[in-house]
Amino acid sequence: MSRVVVVLDYGSGNLRSAERALQRAGAQVTVTDDLAAAAEADGLVVPGVGAYAACMAGIHELGAGPVIAERVAAGRPVLGICVGMQVLFEHGDEHGVVTKGLGLLPGAVTALPARRLPHMGWNSVDPAPGSTLFAGLAPDDRFYFVHSYGVVDPGPLHDSGAAVTTADHGVPFVAAVERGALSAAQFHPEKSGDTGAALLRNWLGTL
């Protein structure tokens, strides 16, 4: 039976590409800013592109933060993508401006200490042991990244019991997180071809 997934429209994100990718993976997808629909769906996708502060402003303006938090607390699946992953953390520091995040994951989003930014293109990842998102994928499978900021200190995540997948761009950084009903990816599975489609199918399998 097709699962009902809402892609949250709060003014930021690759909404239509996420919609199409999830549909191809077998979901019944709605792109909407309707918070009741977001609360009731089998799965909620929180996308995000651009600046951390702008994404948080959009989430606050819509009033979506409590809905996302309540879903996670109730064990109802949420998937964050790119900046939609970053806003799940405690705060983001961009250009010296610190913006409070949703605080659903411990840690901070900061500039990647890499010589070449943005990190743009295809990268392999080191999946967490027992990962659900990456089940069945090959070690050399690659995903599409576009970002200059990320979580470079996974310590708090490990302490919280999260399953942490990493990638490397000059330095290691958090590429994906799985903890309870909450999953998140720094890369764009909707732009990652067959490997991204496989990851989305794995996530849909948890709904």
Coordinates of all heavy atoms in Angstrom, one line a residue, residues 6-19 22 31 44-59 68 78-88 94 102 109 144-149 183-191:
V6 N 4.1 13.9 3.1 CA 4.0 15.4 2.9 C 5.4 15.9 2.8 O 6.3 15.7 3.6 CB 3.3 16.0 4.0 CG1 3.5 17.5 4.1 CG2 1.8 15.8 3.8
V7 N 5.7 16.7 1.7 CA 6.9 17.5 1.6 C 6.5 18.9 2.1 O 5.6 19.5 1.5 CB 7.4 17.6 0.2 CG1 8.6 18.5 0.1 CG2 7.8 16.1 -0.3
L8 N 7.1 19.3 3.2 CA 6.7 20.6 3.8 C 7.1 21.8 3.0 O 8.3 22.0 2.8 CB 7.3 20.6 5.2 CG 6.8 21.8 6.1 CD1 5.3 21.7 6.4 CD2 7.6 21.8 7.4
D9 N 6.2 22.6 2.6 CA 6.5 23.8 1.9 C 6.5 25.0 2.9 O 5.4 25.5 3.2 CB 5.4 24.0 0.8 CG 5.7 25.3 0.0 OD1 6.7 26.0 0.2 OD2 4.8 25.6 -0.9
Y10 N 7.7 25.4 3.3 CA 7.8 26.6 4.2 C 8.6 27.7 3.5 O 9.1 28.6 4.1 CB 8.4 26.2 5.5 CG 9.8 25.7 5.4 CD1 10.9 26.5 5.5 CD2 10.1 24.3 5.2 CE1 12.2 26.0 5.4 CE2 11.4 23.8 5.1 CZ 12.4 24.7 5.2 OH 13.7 24.2 5.1
G11 N 8.7 27.6 2.1 CA 9.3 28.6 1.4 C 10.7 28.4 1.0 O 11.4 29.2 0.4
S12 N 11.2 27.2 1.3 CA 12.6 26.8 0.9 C 12.8 25.4 0.6 O 12.3 24.5 1.4 CB 13.6 27.2 2.1 OG 14.9 26.9 1.8
G13 N 13.4 25.0 -0.5 CA 13.7 23.6 -0.7 C 13.4 23.2 -2.2 O 12.7 24.0 -2.9
N14 N 14.0 22.1 -2.6 CA 13.7 21.6 -3.9 C 12.4 20.8 -3.8 O 12.4 19.5 -3.9 CB 14.9 20.7 -4.3 CG 16.2 21.5 -4.5 OD1 16.2 22.5 -5.2 ND2 17.2 21.1 -3.8
L15 N 11.3 21.5 -3.8 CA 10.0 20.8 -3.5 C 9.6 19.9 -4.6 O 9.3 18.7 -4.3 CB 9.0 21.9 -3.3 CG 9.3 22.9 -2.2 CD1 8.2 24.0 -2.2 CD2 9.4 22.2 -0.8
R16 N 9.7 20.3 -5.8 CA 9.2 19.5 -6.9 C 10.1 18.3 -7.2 O 9.6 17.2 -7.5 CB 8.9 20.3 -8.2 CG 7.9 21.4 -8.0 CD 6.6 20.9 -7.4 NE 5.7 21.9 -7.0 CZ 4.5 21.7 -6.3 NH1 4.1 20.4 -6.1 NH2 3.8 22.7 -5.9
S17 N 11.4 18.5 -7.1 CA 12.3 17.4 -7.4 C 12.2 16.4 -6.3 O 12.2 15.2 -6.5 CB 13.7 17.9 -7.5 OG 14.2 18.6 -6.3
A18 N 11.9 16.8 -5.0 CA 11.7 15.9 -3.9 C 10.4 15.1 -4.1 O 10.3 13.9 -3.9 CB 11.7 16.6 -2.6
E19 N 9.4 15.9 -4.6 CA 8.1 15.3 -4.8 C 8.2 14.1 -5.9 O 7.7 13.0 -5.7 CB 7.1 16.3 -5.3 CG 5.7 15.8 -5.7 CD 4.8 16.8 -6.3 OE1 5.3 17.8 -6.9 OE2 3.6 16.7 -6.2
L22 N 10.2 11.0 -4.6 CA 9.4 10.2 -3.7 C 8.3 9.5 -4.4 O 8.0 8.3 -4.1 CB 8.8 11.1 -2.6 CG 9.8 11.6 -1.6 CD1 9.4 12.8 -0.9 CD2 10.1 10.5 -0.5
V31 N 2.8 18.2 -1.7 CA 3.7 19.3 -1.3 C 2.7 20.4 -0.8 O 1.8 20.9 -1.5 CB 4.5 19.9 -2.5 CG1 5.2 21.1 -2.1 CG2 5.4 18.8 -3.1
L44 N 6.9 12.7 6.9 CA 7.1 14.1 6.7 C 8.5 14.4 6.2 O 9.5 14.0 6.9 CB 6.8 14.9 7.9 CG 7.0 16.5 7.8 CD1 6.1 17.1 6.8 CD2 6.9 17.1 9.2
V45 N 8.6 15.1 5.1 CA 9.9 15.4 4.6 C 10.1 16.9 4.8 O 9.3 17.7 4.4 CB 10.1 15.1 3.1 CG1 11.4 15.6 2.5 CG2 10.0 13.6 2.9
V46 N 11.2 17.3 5.4 CA 11.6 18.7 5.6 C 12.8 19.0 4.7 O 13.9 18.6 5.0 CB 12.0 19.0 7.1 CG1 12.3 20.5 7.3 CG2 10.8 18.6 8.0
P47 N 12.5 19.7 3.5 CA 13.6 20.0 2.6 C 14.3 21.3 3.1 O 14.0 21.9 4.2 CB 12.9 20.2 1.3 CG 11.6 20.8 1.7 CD 11.2 20.2 3.0
G48 N 15.2 21.8 2.3 CA 15.9 23.1 2.6 C 17.1 23.4 1.8 O 17.9 22.5 1.6
V49 N 17.1 24.6 1.2 CA 18.3 25.0 0.5 C 18.5 26.5 0.9 O 17.7 27.2 1.4 CB 18.1 25.0 -1.0 CG1 17.9 23.5 -1.5 CG2 16.9 25.8 -1.5
G50 N 19.8 26.9 0.7 CA 20.1 28.3 1.0 C 20.6 28.5 2.4 O 21.3 27.6 3.0
A51 N 20.3 29.6 3.0 CA 20.9 30.0 4.3 C 20.1 29.4 5.5 O 18.8 29.3 5.4 CB 20.8 31.5 4.5
Y52 N 20.8 29.0 6.5 CA 20.2 28.4 7.7 C 19.2 29.4 8.3 O 18.0 29.0 8.6 CB 21.3 28.1 8.7 CG 21.0 27.3 9.9 CD1 21.4 26.0 10.0 CD2 20.3 27.9 11.0 CE1 21.1 25.2 11.2 CE2 19.9 27.1 12.1 CZ 20.4 25.8 12.2 OH 20.1 25.1 13.3
A53 N 19.6 30.6 8.5 CA 18.7 31.6 9.1 C 17.4 31.8 8.3 O 16.3 31.9 8.9 CB 19.4 33.0 9.3
A54 N 17.5 31.8 7.0 CA 16.3 32.0 6.2 C 15.4 30.8 6.3 O 14.1 31.0 6.3 CB 16.7 32.2 4.7
C55 N 15.9 29.6 6.3 CA 15.1 28.4 6.5 C 14.4 28.4 7.9 O 13.2 28.1 7.9 CB 16.0 27.2 6.3 SG 16.4 26.8 4.6
M56 N 15.1 28.8 8.9 CA 14.5 28.8 10.2 C 13.4 29.9 10.3 O 12.4 29.7 10.9 CB 15.5 29.1 11.3 CG 16.3 27.9 11.7 SD 15.3 26.5 12.2 CE 14.3 27.2 13.5
A57 N 13.6 31.0 9.6 CA 12.6 32.1 9.5 C 11.3 31.6 8.9 O 10.2 31.9 9.3 CB 13.1 33.3 8.8
G58 N 11.5 30.8 7.8 CA 10.4 30.2 7.1 C 9.6 29.2 8.0 O 8.4 29.2 8.0
I59 N 10.3 28.4 8.7 CA 9.7 27.4 9.6 C 9.0 28.1 10.7 O 7.8 27.8 11.0 CB 10.8 26.5 10.2 CG1 11.3 25.5 9.1 CG2 10.3 25.7 11.3 CD1 12.5 24.7 9.4
I68 N 6.8 19.4 13.7 CA 8.0 18.5 13.4 C 8.4 17.9 14.7 O 8.6 16.7 14.8 CB 9.2 19.3 12.8 CG1 8.8 19.9 11.5 CG2 10.4 18.4 12.7 CD1 9.7 20.9 10.9
V78 N 10.1 11.4 10.2 CA 10.5 12.7 9.6 C 11.8 12.5 8.9 O 12.8 11.9 9.5 CB 10.6 13.8 10.7 CG1 11.2 15.1 10.1 CG2 9.3 14.1 11.4
L79 N 12.0 13.0 7.7 CA 13.2 13.0 7.0 C 13.6 14.4 6.6 O 12.9 15.1 5.9 CB 13.1 12.2 5.7 CG 14.2 12.2 4.7 CD1 15.5 11.5 5.3 CD2 13.9 11.5 3.4
G80 N 14.8 14.9 7.1 CA 15.3 16.2 6.8 C 16.3 16.1 5.7 O 17.1 15.1 5.6
I81 N 16.3 17.0 4.7 CA 17.2 17.0 3.6 C 18.0 18.3 3.5 O 17.4 19.4 3.5 CB 16.5 16.7 2.3 CG1 15.8 15.3 2.3 CG2 17.4 16.8 1.0 CD1 14.9 15.0 1.1
C82 N 19.3 18.2 3.4 CA 20.2 19.3 3.2 C 20.0 20.3 4.3 O 20.2 20.0 5.5 CB 20.1 20.0 1.8 SG 21.5 21.0 1.4
V83 N 19.7 21.6 4.1 CA 19.5 22.5 5.2 C 18.3 22.1 6.0 O 18.2 22.4 7.2 CB 19.3 23.9 4.7 CG1 19.2 24.9 5.8 CG2 20.4 24.4 3.8
G84 N 17.4 21.3 5.5 CA 16.3 20.6 6.3 C 16.9 19.7 7.3 O 16.2 19.4 8.3
M85 N 18.1 19.1 7.1 CA 18.8 18.4 8.1 C 19.4 19.3 9.1 O 19.3 19.1 10.3 CB 19.8 17.5 7.5 CG 20.8 16.9 8.5 SD 22.1 15.9 7.7 CE 23.4 16.0 9.0
Q86 N 20.1 20.3 8.6 CA 20.8 21.2 9.5 C 19.9 21.9 10.5 O 20.4 22.1 11.7 CB 21.5 22.3 8.6 CG 22.6 21.7 7.7 CD 23.3 22.7 6.8 OE1 23.0 23.9 6.9 NE2 24.2 22.3 6.0
V87 N 18.7 22.3 10.1 CA 17.9 23.0 11.1 C 17.4 22.1 12.2 O 16.8 22.6 13.2 CB 16.7 23.7 10.4 CG1 17.1 24.8 9.4 CG2 15.8 22.7 9.7
L88 N 17.6 20.8 12.1 CA 17.2 19.9 13.2 C 18.1 20.0 14.4 O 17.8 19.6 15.5 CB 17.1 18.5 12.7 CG 16.2 18.2 11.5 CD1 16.4 16.8 11.0 CD2 14.7 18.4 11.9
E94 N 26.5 30.8 10.6 CA 26.9 31.2 9.3 C 27.3 32.6 9.2 O 26.6 33.5 9.7 CB 25.7 31.0 8.3 CG 25.3 29.6 8.1 CD 24.2 29.4 7.0 OE1 23.7 30.4 6.5 OE2 23.9 28.3 6.6
L102 N 16.0 23.9 15.6 CA 14.9 23.2 16.2 C 15.3 22.4 17.5 O 14.5 22.0 18.3 CB 14.2 22.3 15.2 CG 13.5 23.0 14.0 CD1 12.9 22.0 13.0 CD2 12.4 23.9 14.5
V109 N 25.8 23.4 13.5 CA 26.2 23.5 12.1 C 27.2 24.6 11.9 O 26.8 25.8 12.3 CB 24.9 23.7 11.2 CG1 25.3 23.9 9.8 CG2 24.0 22.5 11.4
Y144 N 24.8 13.1 -4.1 CA 25.1 14.4 -4.6 C 25.0 15.4 -3.4 O 23.9 15.6 -2.8 CB 24.1 14.8 -5.7 CG 24.5 16.1 -6.4 CD1 25.6 16.1 -7.3 CD2 23.8 17.3 -6.1 CE1 25.9 17.3 -7.9 CE2 24.2 18.4 -6.7 CZ 25.2 18.5 -7.6 OH 25.6 19.7 -8.2
F145 N 26.1 16.2 -3.2 CA 26.1 17.2 -2.2 C 26.3 18.6 -2.8 O 26.9 18.8 -3.8 CB 27.4 17.0 -1.3 CG 27.4 15.7 -0.4 CD1 27.7 14.5 -0.9 CD2 27.0 15.8 0.9 CE1 27.7 13.4 -0.1 CE2 27.0 14.7 1.7 CZ 27.4 13.5 1.2
V146 N 25.6 19.6 -2.1 CA 25.9 21.0 -2.4 C 25.8 21.7 -1.1 O 24.7 22.0 -0.6 CB 24.8 21.6 -3.4 CG1 25.2 23.0 -3.7 CG2 24.8 20.7 -4.7
H147 N 26.9 22.1 -0.5 CA 26.9 22.8 0.8 C 28.2 23.3 1.2 O 29.3 22.8 0.7 CB 26.3 21.9 1.9 CG 27.2 20.7 2.2 ND1 27.8 20.4 3.5 CD2 27.7 19.7 1.4 CE1 28.5 19.4 3.4 NE2 28.5 18.9 2.2
S148 N 28.2 24.3 2.0 CA 29.5 24.9 2.6 C 29.5 24.7 4.1 O 30.5 25.0 4.7 CB 29.6 26.3 2.2 OG 29.7 26.5 0.8
Y149 N 28.4 24.3 4.7 CA 28.2 24.2 6.1 C 27.8 22.7 6.5 O 27.2 22.1 5.6 CB 27.2 25.2 6.7 CG 27.6 26.6 6.5 CD1 27.4 27.3 5.3 CD2 28.3 27.3 7.5 CE1 27.8 28.6 5.1 CE2 28.7 28.6 7.4 CZ 28.5 29.2 6.2 OH 28.9 30.5 6.0
S183 N 15.2 10.9 10.7 CA 16.3 10.6 9.7 C 16.6 11.9 9.0 O 15.8 12.8 8.9 CB 15.8 9.5 8.7 OG 15.4 8.3 9.3
A184 N 17.9 12.0 8.6 CA 18.3 13.2 7.9 C 19.5 13.0 7.1 O 20.3 12.1 7.4 CB 18.6 14.3 8.9
A185 N 19.6 13.7 6.0 CA 20.7 13.6 5.0 C 21.2 14.9 4.6 O 20.4 15.8 4.3 CB 20.3 12.8 3.8
Q186 N 22.5 15.1 4.7 CA 23.1 16.4 4.2 C 23.1 16.5 2.7 O 23.0 17.5 2.1 CB 24.6 16.5 4.7 CG 25.3 17.7 4.3 CD 24.6 19.0 4.7 OE1 24.6 19.3 5.9 NE2 24.1 19.8 3.8
F187 N 23.2 15.3 2.0 CA 23.2 15.3 0.6 C 21.7 15.4 0.1 O 20.7 15.4 0.9 CB 23.8 14.0 0.1 CG 23.3 12.8 0.7 CD1 22.2 12.1 0.2 CD2 24.0 12.2 1.8 CE1 21.7 11.0 0.8 CE2 23.5 11.0 2.4 CZ 22.4 10.4 1.9
H188 N 21.5 15.4 -1.2 CA 20.2 15.4 -1.9 C 19.9 14.1 -2.4 O 20.3 13.8 -3.6 CB 20.2 16.5 -3.0 CG 20.2 17.9 -2.5 ND1 19.0 18.5 -2.1 CD2 21.2 18.8 -2.3 CE1 19.4 19.8 -1.7 NE2 20.7 19.9 -1.8
P189 N 19.1 13.2 -1.7 CA 18.8 11.9 -2.3 C 17.9 12.1 -3.6 O 18.0 11.3 -4.5 CB 18.0 11.2 -1.2 CG 17.6 12.3 -0.3 CD 18.6 13.4 -0.4
E190 N 17.2 13.2 -3.7 CA 16.3 13.4 -4.9 C 17.1 13.8 -6.1 O 16.6 13.7 -7.2 CB 15.3 14.5 -4.6 CG 15.8 15.9 -4.6 CD 16.5 16.4 -3.4 OE1 16.8 15.5 -2.5 OE2 16.8 17.6 -3.3
K191 N 18.4 14.1 -5.9 CA 19.3 14.4 -7.0 C 20.4 13.4 -7.2 O 21.4 13.6 -8.0 CB 19.9 15.8 -6.8 CG 19.0 16.9 -6.9 CD 19.7 18.3 -6.7 CE 18.7 19.4 -6.8 NZ 19.4 20.7 -6.7

